[in-house]
Amino acid sequence: MNDPDQEFDQTLESFITDQFIRDILSEEPLDPFNLEVPEDSTANTTISTEGSSHSKTLKLPSSLPTHSPRLCHVCNLPAGKHNYYGGQVCESCRAFFRRSIQNQTHPIYQCKALKNCIIDSKSRKSCTWCRFKKCLFAGMNPKWIITDQERKTKLEAKRGKIMKATMKRDFVPIQRTVELKFTIEEQLKVQRLSDHARKFKVSVLAKHLASDLTPLQTLWKLALNLGTPTVEFIHFLEEKEKSIFKTIALGLEEMTDLDLQDRETLVQKNSTAFFALIMSIYFNPGDFGRHLEEILMALDIALQSNDNPALTTAMETLEVIKMSNFQGLSFDTFYSNCPNKNVNLSKAQKNLMGKIQSALREIPNQPIDTIITCIVILNLIFASDGSSNLKDSKKVERIQNNQVFMLHRYLRSKFGDKARAKMGKLVMLMSYTQEAYSLHRQMVSLSL
């Protein structure tokens, strides 16, 4: 059996709640403690509770006030349940404001009247300027509207988090041995690259020397410090080395998997760094002697197809130069035509080439490490700093990372604990070569 006192308390609580709503709606409030209503009211309801030691009587109005509808502060149509971009507006005005900001059309809105048009449900489309102004007055904030790209970015980020969480949940660790040693397969790959590059270089030299010995004559005069190079000779060396670089690069298996345009971009961009690397190697006695051996091999091939006495004389001259105690190409001699007033430019170039030489060899003035040099050339071929517009930049980056890891493994196998310091020098070498070529072009442009 229900408690009469409990029923009365529930009825009183309900009445006080309704009265509180009336107060919010700014209607004339009723005193919740004065439960009697005017006597002339004809529509009253009397609630009595009996069955206890006393009786209580409560008179309530037959009808309670209702909520006033939320109206749009722009066009006076019913507004949404929530504020949009900070203002109490309808769906239509919300969409109008969003389009105006996202499409950047609000700056071109114009009012054909006095910029004080009446905006309501019927006239809201007649003047976009006044409608947009009312949107701002209603409290709508343009900064709260995100662009389509921002929305897409947020959506992709959210999807990425979900995918990452799913992958992390479903991930099953695979036990595998991490290879930290320079493998035999990698050693054979580098050796094949070195042999291929040398054979191609010799064949190019043989073909050229069979028809023109002038560059060779200039070269041995430079080696004996008996002359200075011409701009034409420097351009000849540059074009020859770039041609060799292009052939080596396009012949790599990794390069054939790339888009044709990406191949051309990488070759064109990185051939200059390759030339600076080769010139740095030439300015060392031990390495220049290796270059003379390649020229002698090229002359021998040229003599087999062309019985020219000048070729025989050239071979004999180079044999004498090779057996003599010569210092090889000198930096000062090679850039002797650079004006003295650019001594700072010359010092900077010489310093850079010295750093490149130091990174490629273990002992100063000794021949370079051919394996390190080959792997560095592989890195140069696929070097990309992000500024190049590559169609498949991720694939190029993945290839270059593989070359970097291979170089690190080789350094660990040869230098042990000193591998990290050596790796740091070789990583910097990538930027040194580009900078060295830039200085080279400046010095050549000032020559003669």
Side-chain angles (χ1 to χ4, degrees):
M1 183 174 181
N2 296 334
D3 186 357
D5 292 337
Q6 184 178 1
E7 291 180 1
F8 180 82
D9 292 339
Q10 291 176 351
T11 305
L12 178 61
E13 181 182 355
S14 176
F15 175 78
I16 293 175
T17 302
D18 293 335
Q19 177 60 34
F20 179 71
I21 294 175
R22 291 187 58 177
D23 290 342
I24 292 179
L25 295 175
S26 300
E27 295 187 7
E28 184 179 353
L30 295 177
D31 186 357
F33 299 101
N34 181 15
L35 302 183
E36 297 292 337
V37 295
E39 297 180 356
D40 58 349
S41 177
T42 58
N44 292 336
T45 302
T46 301
I47 300 178
S48 300
T49 58
E50 299 178 354
S52 61
S53 59
H54 58 277
S55 64
K56 302 175 183 179
T57 302
L58 176 65
K59 294 184 179 181
L60 299 177
S62 60
S63 60
L64 292 175
T66 58
H67 289 280
S68 298
R70 283 169 54 90
L71 298 180
C72 175
H73 289 174
V74 177
C75 67
N76 293 327
L77 283 179
K81 295 182 179 180
H82 310 284
N83 286 358
Y84 299 126
Y85 310 123
Q88 179 178 312
V89 295
C90 63
E91 292 285 350
S92 178
C93 291
R94 171 197 181 188
F96 164 77
F97 187 75
R98 184 185 67 248
R99 290 194 304 269
S100 300
I101 299 301
Q102 289 181 343
N103 300 335
Q104 289 296 305
T105 55
H106 62 92
I108 63 174
Y109 289 160
Q110 292 183 355
C111 178
K112 298 180 180 180
L114 301 177
K115 297 185 178 180
N116 194 23
C117 301
I118 297 176
I119 303 299
D120 54 27
S121 59
K122 296 182 179 179
S123 64
R124 63 187 180 187
K125 294 183 179 180
S126 61
C127 183
T128 54
W129 192 93
C130 291
R131 186 182 186 185
F132 185 78
K133 182 184 71 172
K134 289 197 68 175
C135 288
L136 296 177
F137 286 166
M140 303 182 78
N141 191 344
K143 295 182 179 180
W144 291 8
I145 299 178
I146 63 175
T147 63
D148 290 338
Q149 182 61 37
E150 290 173 336
R151 184 182 294 105
K152 183 179 180 181
T153 302
K154 288 186 177 181
L155 183 60
E156 289 178 351
K158 185 176 181 180
R159 290 176 178 173
K161 289 183 179 179
I162 296 175
M163 185 177 296
K164 186 176 181 180
T166 304
M167 293 176 63
K168 185 177 181 180
R169 181 190 62 199
D170 299 338
F171 175 73
V172 179
I174 300 177
Q175 299 295 332
R176 62 176 65 180
T177 304
V178 180
E179 185 60 63
L180 297 178
K181 295 183 179 180
F182 188 64
T183 63
I184 297 178
E185 291 78 6
E186 291 174 332
Q187 185 174 356
L188 292 175
K189 176 182 178 180
V190 174
Q191 189 61 47
R192 285 195 301 269
L193 174 63
S194 178
D195 294 342
H196 170 71
R198 192 172 193 186
K199 288 180 181 178
F200 178 75
K201 184 177 182 180
V202 169
S203 65
V204 171
L205 287 172
K207 184 177 180 180
H208 186 86
L209 293 174
S211 58
D212 186 10
L213 284 173
T214 304
L216 178 60
Q217 294 169 352
T218 303
L219 184 64
W220 72 51
K221 288 180 181 179
L222 291 175
L224 296 174
N225 202 18
L226 298 176
T228 59
T230 63
V231 175
E232 291 76 13
F233 174 74
I234 295 176
H235 287 164
F236 165 77
L237 284 182
E238 184 173 338
E239 292 303 317
K240 176 178 67 68
E241 295 299 341
K242 286 182 178 180
S243 174
I244 293 173
F245 174 80
K246 181 178 181 179
T247 303
I248 293 174
L250 295 179
L252 293 175
E253 182 180 354
E254 295 91 341
M255 186 68 79
T256 57
D257 294 335
L258 298 179
D259 180 80
L260 179 60
Q261 184 176 346
D262 286 353
R263 298 182 217 169
E264 295 176 354
T265 301
L266 289 173
V267 170
Q268 182 178 1
K269 177 180 179 296
N270 298 323
S271 60
T272 56
F274 175 78
F275 173 72
L277 176 71
I278 296 301
M279 293 309 300
S280 300
I281 294 173
Y282 284 169
F283 297 143
N284 181 69
D287 298 323
F288 187 72
R290 174 183 168 88
H291 181 57
L292 285 184
E293 290 180 0
E294 294 172 349
I295 297 177
L296 287 171
M297 294 170 60
L299 286 172
D300 186 47
I301 295 175
L303 277 171
Q304 295 177 10
S305 58
N306 187 354
D307 189 10
N308 186 350
L311 292 174
T312 304
T313 303
M315 283 196 68
E316 294 173 353
T317 304
L318 287 182
E319 288 287 358
V320 174
I321 294 175
K322 182 181 177 181
M323 290 184 294
S324 64
N325 187 21
F326 70 101
Q327 295 299 315
L329 273 179
S330 167
F331 176 89
D332 296 326
T333 301
F334 191 81
Y335 290 107
S336 58
N337 289 323
C338 181
N340 293 330
K341 63 181 179 180
N342 291 286
V343 63
N344 293 332
L345 189 66
S346 178
K347 284 183 178 180
Q349 173 74 332
K350 192 172 184 178
N351 181 49
L352 275 176
M353 289 193 166
K355 291 180 178 180
I356 295 174
Q357 290 181 18
S358 175
L360 293 175
R361 60 176 52 87
E362 187 175 359
I363 302 175
N365 297 324
Q366 292 298 313
I368 60 173
D369 187 312
T370 55
I371 295 181
I372 290 180
T373 305
C374 284
I375 302 178
V376 166
I377 291 175
L378 285 173
N379 276 272
L380 284 178
I381 291 173
F382 297 100
S384 175
D385 56 4
S387 59
S388 304
N389 295 324
L390 299 175
K391 291 185 177 180
D392 200 346
S393 57
K394 291 185 178 180
K395 182 181 289 187
V396 174
E397 183 180 356
R398 185 166 58 251
I399 294 173
Q400 189 181 24
N401 287 339
N402 290 338
Q403 313 297 356
V404 171
F405 295 150
M406 179 169 62
L407 176 61
H408 186 252
R409 288 193 292 271
Y410 174 73
L411 295 178
R412 283 176 59 88
S413 67
K414 184 167 185 177
F415 298 100
D417 295 337
K418 297 181 180 180
R420 178 176 296 181
K422 192 72 173 176
M423 186 69 183
K425 291 183 179 180
L426 291 171
V427 170
M428 292 301 299
L429 181 143
M430 306 298 175
S431 61
Y432 290 158
T433 51
Q434 291 288 359
E435 188 176 353
Y437 180 78
S438 176
L439 293 175
H440 162 78
R441 294 307 306 167
Q442 295 181 50
M443 295 177 70
V444 170
S445 64
L446 295 173
S447 299
L448 299 180

